[in-house]
Amino acid sequence: MEDKPFKEVTVLTRQLGKMNVITSIMQAAEFIVNEWPGTDTERLDMAKHALLECYDGKLSPGVARMAFIEAAKEADIYVQAVGRPAIHRQAGKVA
């Protein structure tokens, strides 16, 4: 199976104070299987689906990453993720 990398996402694990850096769809899937608290929710199901679609080449890793982040936030998992850079517009130019 070919893994697909994405921009790093740091999440808090079940172990007190231990953080895990997720950098690919396979790592995100492993985190869901091994560390996810509670029960399935709609956002978690969407994240799982997005990871599978990414693996199949139907979604970009960035979209799967965002679905994972949103599901983690909903599950009250601490998430630290670098987002997209802000776009500043001045006189019609992007800075």
Side-chain angles (χ1 to χ4, degrees):
M1 295 198 307
E2 184 182 337
D3 200 2
K4 302 205 178 172
F6 55 61
K7 190 177 252 184
E8 87 178 32
V9 178
T10 303
V11 291
L12 186 63
T13 68
R14 289 185 190 187
Q15 280 187 320
L16 186 60
K18 184 178 179 201
M19 303 296 278
N20 193 357
V21 178
I22 308 291
T23 60
S24 70
I25 62 168
M26 294 301 285
Q27 289 177 352
E30 289 172 4
F31 184 85
I32 289 171
V33 169
N34 298 319
E35 295 286 339
W36 208 266
T39 58
D40 282 3
T41 64
E42 186 175 341
R43 283 195 180 157
L44 178 56
D45 288 340
M46 289 172 60
K48 290 176 183 177
H49 182 74
L51 291 168
L52 287 172
E53 291 287 300
C54 179
Y55 178 75
D56 289 339
K58 298 176 185 173
L59 276 180
S60 73
V63 171
R65 175 184 181 269
M66 288 307 303
F68 175 78
I69 290 168
E70 291 303 315
K73 287 179 180 178
E74 180 186 55
D76 290 327
I77 296 170
Y78 173 80
V79 177
Q80 181 180 359
V82 176
R84 294 181 179 167
I87 296 175
H88 301 284
R89 297 186 183 272
Q90 256 183 353
K93 295 183 180 178
V94 177

